[in-house]
Amino acid sequence: MADPSSYRPKPGQIPDSPGVYRFRDEHGRVIYVGKAKSLRQRLSSYFQDLAGLHQRTRTMVTTAASVEWTVVATEVEALQLEYTWIKQYDPRFNVKYRDDKSYPSLAVTLNEEFPRVQVMRGPKRKGVRYFGPYAHAWAIRETVDLMLRAFPVRTCSAGVFKRSEQIGRPCLLGYIDKCSAPCVGRVTAAEHRELAEEFCDFMAGRTGTYLKRLERQMHEAADEMEYEKAARLRDDIGALTSAMEKNAVVLADATDADLVALAEDELEAAVQIFHVRGGRVRGQRGWVTDRVEAVDTAGLVEHALQQLYGDEQAEGIPREVLVPALPEPAGPVREWLTERRGARVDLRVPQRGDKKDLLATVARNAQQALALHKTKRASDLTTRSRALEEIAEALELDSAPLRIECYDISHLQGDDVVGSMVVFEDGLARKSEYRRFEIKGFTGQDDVRAMHEVVTRRFRRYVQEKQKTGEWGDPEAEAAAERSHGDAPAVAMGDGPAGRDPDTGRPRKFAYPPQLVVVDGGQPQVAAAKRALDELGVDDVAVVGLAKRLEEVWLPHGDDPVILPRSSEGLYMLQRVRDEAHRFALAYQRKKRARSMKAGPLDDVPGLGESRRRALLKHFGSVKRLRAATIDQICEVPGIGRKTAENIAATLAQSAPAAPAVNTATGEIMDE
């Protein structure tokens, strides 16, 4: 635990201007990012008497070992830079809303020649128009199925589209008039794009004009006694009306707005968002966060808006955002939203009427989401803290292991041996720091030897990173560093601190040590991991093993295991960490095995990557034709030089052609 006075900047060094600041721990890792209208006033507030600080703020400043800042011109720039750094560094003491699920959206791929309507999850892609998100994927599919009568836009995958294009016959949707079948040329690309844009306009809430046009066309067809056409238009109107009825009208003035509401307690906060377009609720989503930062409701709202609109496209930001409390100050946030949308955004708290009532409904949803989240054992901050304390007490550690790394070995009867490393920080998985290892030191089945190799490779990298920064194995360099930095302010303007790359500012791989290493196995695996650490001179990391048989915990030099009660939260956390390492190792081992089963003759060509292999097969059509080609013919493929062509020809000449494949249904001999 550091004393904040040890890294406090000297008086007068902090500028009295807007900016963004970062606290770093002893390993150089960013643990908190904040912004301020006046850096001098804000940073000075962190270095007062510890007794006067909020408990969470006190924990943060005693965990930190340095502070740095960047001056910007306006508060809006500070807001943008704060969001960028929080996203880049993922600091542990910042409020970060995390989705309890990946919400699906209705997407229209306008970036393709023939736009496709589909369900999409995950990060948004450029050139794709999104609607939602929705609570369930089946709700999207029901809506799309109704709308395809009036807007027969392509919904098939690229493979199905290409297949229909090759055989000149559309799929089933093309025959039942739920697809305009651009694959066989029933409509041109321009006509199909116009259909997709009309689909987007209707989903965006511009429904009245289109329905009136369809009604007019229906009456005109009836007057001209084209009753089949009139009946088809009538059915189209009915389908669109049914699709509209699935989203009830909540605001009568056809409002486009997002309503954000919060439910919070001392430990956690939940946020719910309703997306209202054209007066109808078009989507809903929610997040939950631990209150690791001393922040009020207005601050939680500001963080929620950053999360919601930080990566949003202009068309995804509405004209109006309704919140329970305005950020302090509200001007920079309002200006930031306006810049992102390219038009004015009204950020306000509704005081009366339908909008206030709807916001109360959103707040009730947030309360229910928080109550449901409380029942999830693994996400309860209090439970995680108790689990870490139980582990520290059972293993006689000096403090709770805030960073735990777990290792596992996976193989199939000695083949494709791989290792995995998973990381848990503060009791939660940190998947960005997971690592996979391919065992290179030997072949065959030896879990103990494999564990020794994996732990050695991981901590050798850690030692190397420390040696680069002068923090390991070079006392003279350490003394010189102390002399040169003893009186310097804690502002990083040049070389990066330990744990991050000075060129990119990003964390180095394997730069941070864990407080606890867990291995999947018993005494032999624990002894191998401990021996690897001893050989590297790492003596400040505890090692334990969790054996599956009786779930007993083994220590390096203990003849008897440590038995944790079955109801122990500490045992539950160790099991979660071990099971996650096993899952990650098994997934890699299966992927590696599948890749080896799909290997072909071209995989043995030195220096030939995946892109050029695909180019060769596309050019020649099969390995058989490529084997028969001359070196000059191979050189005609873009990206293939003469030396590479010679290597390809030599490798294919050495590999004997496989037996011809036979179609068992027809008896036809198939090319490779």
Side-chain angles (χ1 to χ4, degrees), residues 117-168:
V117 176
Q118 64 183 114
V119 178
M120 272 194 184
R121 298 177 187 265
K124 295 188 175 180
R125 306 173 189 174
K126 188 175 181 181
V128 179
R129 186 79 181 273
Y130 291 88
F131 302 95
Y134 292 79
H136 303 285
W138 56 260
I140 302 177
R141 296 188 179 97
E142 282 189 357
T143 300
V144 171
D145 187 63
L146 289 169
M147 293 186 61
L148 288 180
R149 285 195 57 89
F151 306 104
V153 186
R154 168 197 164 207
T155 58
C156 61
S157 64
V160 173
F161 186 90
K162 185 176 180 180
R163 175 65 176 170
S164 297
E165 196 174 33
Q166 290 174 340
I167 65 177

Side-chain angles (χ1 to χ4, degrees), residues 165-182:
E165 196 174 33
Q166 290 174 340
I167 65 177
R169 189 170 66 245
C171 63
L172 177 62
L173 292 179
Y175 283 109
I176 63 176
D177 295 328
K178 285 195 172 182
C179 178
S180 55

Side-chain angles (χ1 to χ4, degrees), residues 8-51:
R8 178 176 184 170
K10 292 184 178 180
Q13 289 182 335
I14 308 176
D16 187 18
S17 56
V20 183
Y21 55 92
R22 293 178 288 187
F23 283 88
R24 295 182 181 272
D25 63 10
E26 60 181 342
H27 303 292
R29 178 168 39 176
V30 175
I31 61 172
Y32 183 73
V33 174
K35 70 177 190 316
K37 183 178 181 179
S38 170
L39 285 169
R40 181 178 300 170
Q41 294 180 14
R42 177 63 59 81
L43 288 177
S44 297
S45 68
Y46 289 104
F47 297 100
Q48 56 179 287
D49 184 12
L50 290 177

